[in-house]
Amino acid sequence: VNVGSVVSGARVVSIAKDRVVLNVNGREKILLLGAEGTQPANASGDRGARESTTSTYVLARETVRENLDNLPALLTQARAELYVKEGSPEGFQLSQIQQGSLLKSVGFQDGDVIRSVNGHDVRSLEDAIEIYQKFGDSDSFTIGILRGEKPRTLQVKIK
């Protein structure tokens, strides 16, 4: 992918070490990227053993809309780096998730690896763009994650 490339209907405006700027339907969107050499997710210790494998969160539509309308600010609320295991991309690992952020409010923790959204694998920037375009206005999301190497599901409902 290069500047000027079109991926799933989004034109790449610029590419930097830590971010990609896209033009989607005339609006600029910024995707933050992590540095190369991502380490595996940290184990969450005993806490992970006590947690259910599925957690459900409900968000007000207005809260989601406010965050999506200011995508650059939303993308500064956490860092997402490509997670590679045994030479293969497995998803995006989150770190530095800020307290009070939208990501915290739906249950993400530092070290979580996002592997899928609504059954669609997230293994590349192209996957992330396609999922954002396809499901951006959905009323619910099923997010498959790894937490401490254990699979979990986050259910997010928008009311």
Side-chain angles (χ1 to χ4, degrees):
V1 176
N2 297 311
V3 173
S5 297
V6 177
V7 179
S8 299
R11 187 176 55 80
V12 178
V13 175
S14 67
I15 301 173
K17 181 179 176 184
D18 63 342
R19 69 187 65 221
V20 174
V21 179
L22 304 170
N23 184 301
V24 180
N25 298 326
R27 295 178 58 188
E28 283 197 354
K29 309 284 183 177
I30 300 173
L31 298 176
L32 293 182
L33 307 173
E36 294 181 55
T38 301
Q39 298 298 314
N42 294 328
S44 59
D46 293 337
R47 180 181 56 187
R50 290 191 306 261
E51 291 178 328
S52 166
T53 59
T54 302
S55 301
T56 302
Y57 300 87
V58 178
L59 291 176
R61 186 168 304 284
E62 184 60 28
T63 300
V64 174
R65 184 69 55 212
E66 286 171 5
N67 277 271
L68 292 178
D69 284 348
N70 191 358
L71 195 57
L74 174 65
L75 294 173
T76 64
Q77 295 179 6
R79 184 173 187 94
E81 298 176 350
L82 187 61
Y83 177 78
V84 178
K85 186 172 182 178
E86 298 176 6
S88 232
E90 294 272 328
F92 285 89
Q93 185 172 34
L94 299 175
S95 62
Q96 303 173 16
I97 303 172
Q98 300 201 3
Q99 292 297 330
S101 69
L102 184 66
L103 293 170
K104 275 282 188 197
S105 69
V106 296
F108 284 111
Q109 298 176 9
D110 284 344
D112 284 350
V113 177
I114 300 172
R115 299 184 71 198
S116 66
V117 176
N118 290 354
H120 290 64
D121 289 342
V122 183
R123 304 285 190 260
S124 67
L125 177 60
E126 290 83 5
D127 291 344
I129 293 167
E130 185 177 328
I131 288 168
Y132 176 78
Q133 290 176 331
K134 189 171 187 175
F135 298 114
D137 292 328
S138 293
D139 290 334
S140 66
F141 299 92
T142 302
I143 305 167
I145 66 170
L146 281 180
R147 178 169 292 157
E149 297 297 322
K150 294 181 182 172
R152 294 198 38 159
T153 303
L154 301 178
Q155 296 280 345
V156 180
K157 299 184 186 291
I158 314 297
K159 298 276 181 180

